[in-house]
Amino acid sequence: MQPTMSRSFVPDADSVLRDRAFVQLLTGRITATLATQIQSVVVGWQLYDMTRDPLTLGWVGLAQFLPMALLVLPAGDAADRLPRRLILTASWLVQAIAGLLFLGLTLSGTDSPVGFFGVLVLFGMARAFAGPGMQSLLPQLVGEARLPKAIAWNSSAFQVAVIGGPALGGAVYLLGPAFAYLLCALLFAGAATAIALIRRRLPARADTTRQSAFARFTAGIVYVRTRPIILGAISLDLFAVLLGGATALLPVYAHEILHVGPAGLGLLRSAVAIGAFAMGIYLGRNALERRAGAIMFAAVAIFGVATIVFGLSSSFVLSFVALMIMGAADMISVFVRSSLIQLATPDAMRGRVNAVNMLFIGASNELGEFESGVTAALFGTVGAVVIGGAGTLAVVGLWMALFPALRRVDRLSDVTTTRTPPG
């Protein structure tokens, strides 16, 4: 159940942007994501320029994924037992410290990537706590009536930063990586401040049962496993993006195929977000009325086709358009998946269930970067991307057969904590 809120906090489903606490959350999300995107461009370019080995980009993803995978379940339990606002604030402060450590490494003039990987491990640890804290705080602030629109606007805000961050990162890199890392540290600190200044009283979600720590940590896994609609949505995203992770190889495309330099790399990374942002704005203003499950499968299939087109392209314009289509298709999948998870999960479980979701997302993104780096080393950059896109299409067909309940989902509002069957 949602915490009791006054009428001024829950007026109607369309007023979410007039909610000061929600706007503060969006501000923090935009600022932190902007910092993450700038840092991603700078680290990727700096390390690839240092080693000229595409496998290095894979290790960048793995260094972030492993600590996140180890800590995300305890982090989800913490989000259900401790103040979510406090967890999110502390997580972003640690990421600010990581930015300062990157700054120190850069100023030291080291030519070894080892220290950078160590800081990426710290960064991944902080992200493990930020994800469940962020995702479970959102419904607590806005309530279920406004949640779908809040998810759409939250995703759009995320994409605003993903659009601006890479382009800004490429431009800022021209001023030197040290300046870029200092900027990232300041942005993360600003995001933490925005969340710390939220004054709405929100009760801590204490778990009053006498479960063991192991039982609490794994409760989210058990819940997801017994809800085939949620399991299907999360795992579809996992395997589709794991295989279709073309964005991890963008530094190679910018260097050796499209020949556009760091500024072009920033634009390519922004292309995905431009498509996603446009789709997010559409979904924020126009509810997804019917056939949500079928639309989700179609969007992932389009993502796979666009990945193949990007992989084969040697034209900057065509590559840019293909990445935009990938972003728009991925936004539809993210919107449906996020809505299904939040609406079908009781608030007391949201931290742990969102932790499972983040584990899957992290596997598809950071572990996907490692997979892309390995396949690029084995089959070449173009071959890796094309094989990944074809694999995404195969996953869509297989998942439509394995999860017919997900394919048949009609209205998102039909999937709630009381209507979602356990098995």
Side-chain angles (χ1 to χ4, degrees):
M1 296 179 62
Q2 296 293 325
T4 301
M5 298 182 185
S6 67
R7 294 285 298 176
S8 63
F9 289 153
V10 193
D12 59 70
D14 294 324
S15 65
V16 65
L17 291 179
R18 296 195 295 270
D19 186 330
R20 180 178 178 181
F22 177 67
V23 172
Q24 287 176 271
L25 184 67
L26 284 187
T27 301
R29 181 85 190 274
I30 291 174
T31 306
T33 306
L34 187 66
T36 300
Q37 294 300 313
I38 294 173
Q39 184 173 281
S40 178
V41 170
V42 175
V43 170
W45 188 272
Q46 190 177 13
L47 294 187
Y48 184 73
D49 193 48
M50 188 183 295
T51 65
R52 294 304 174 100
D53 182 359
L55 187 57
T56 300
L57 302 175
W59 290 116
V60 168
L62 191 63
Q64 296 175 78
F65 171 73
L66 289 180
M68 187 191 72
L70 292 173
L71 293 177
V72 71
L73 295 182
D77 178 58
D80 285 335
R81 295 163 60 83
L82 301 173
R84 293 163 178 171
R85 180 174 50 200
L86 176 62
I87 291 173
L88 187 55
T89 300
S91 299
W92 282 341
L93 285 176
V94 173
Q95 291 177 60
I97 293 172
L100 294 177
L101 292 174
F102 280 130
L103 172 62
L105 286 169
T106 300
L107 293 177
S108 73
T110 179
D111 58 358
S112 171
V114 175
F116 289 88
F117 291 138
V119 179
L120 286 170
V121 169
L122 175 65
F123 188 74
M125 293 170 65
R127 287 185 61 196
F129 286 86
M134 173 73 193
Q135 297 302 323
S136 55
L137 179 61
L138 174 62
Q140 199 175 17
L141 284 176
V142 303
E144 287 190 1
R146 300 184 296 170
L147 186 56
K149 286 186 177 293
I151 289 173
W153 285 113
N154 183 49
S155 297
S156 297
F158 172 80
Q159 296 302 335
V160 166
V162 175
I163 291 170
L168 182 58
V172 168
Y173 191 87
L174 299 178
L175 300 176
F179 178 81
Y181 290 134
L182 177 60
L183 177 61
C184 290
L186 293 174
L187 289 172
F188 279 125
T193 301
I195 301 303
L197 291 177
I198 294 177
R199 298 304 182 193
R200 182 169 304 168
R201 296 180 62 86
L202 298 173
R205 292 295 173 177
D207 188 346
T208 58
T209 67
R210 297 185 179 277
Q211 289 180 311
S212 66
F214 179 80
R216 295 197 315 270
F217 293 167
T218 57
I221 296 176
V222 173
Y223 189 88
V224 169
R225 183 175 57 81
T226 57
R227 269 68 182 178
I229 289 177
I230 300 178
L231 177 60
I234 294 177
S235 58
L236 173 65
D237 182 82
L238 164 66
F239 288 103
V241 180
L242 176 66
L243 294 171
T247 54
L249 297 174
L250 286 181
V252 184
Y253 271 84
H255 256 294
E256 301 172 7
I257 297 176
L258 301 176
H259 308 290
V260 292
L265 171 62
L267 291 174
L268 289 173
R269 292 184 67 95
S270 295
V272 178
I274 290 172
F277 174 70
M279 182 58 67
I281 292 296
Y282 175 82
L283 293 172
R285 295 181 177 275
N286 302 275
L288 192 60
E289 298 287 351
R290 306 297 298 269
R291 298 175 59 81
I295 290 173
M296 180 182 182
F297 278 110
V300 178
I302 292 172
F303 179 88
V305 172
T307 298
I308 295 173
V309 172
F310 170 79
L312 295 174
S313 170
S314 59
S315 162
F316 178 80
V317 174
L318 179 59
S319 298
F320 192 89
V321 171
L323 289 170
M324 284 181 58
I325 294 173
M326 288 169 61
D330 187 54
M331 172 57 78
I332 297 173
S333 175
V334 167
F335 174 77
V336 175
R337 185 189 72 243
S338 299
S339 298
L340 290 175
I341 292 169
Q342 299 286 32
L343 292 172
T345 305
D347 190 66
M349 286 286 299
R350 280 197 174 112
R352 285 166 287 182
V353 171
N354 277 301
V356 176
N357 183 41
M358 184 181 173
L359 181 61
F360 277 62
I361 293 173
S364 63
N365 292 334
E366 279 72 31
L367 193 58
E369 291 181 10
F370 180 70
E371 178 271 337
S372 296
V374 171
T375 53
L378 294 175
F379 303 107
T381 301
V382 173
V385 174
V386 172
I387 291 171
T392 298
L393 294 176
V395 166
V396 170
L398 181 60
W399 256 240
M400 289 181 70
L402 292 176
F403 297 96
L406 176 60
R407 187 182 71 245
R408 292 195 296 263
V409 169
D410 190 18
R411 300 178 187 273
L412 292 173
S413 58
D414 291 339
V415 182
T416 65
T417 55
T418 57
R419 297 177 187 175
T420 304

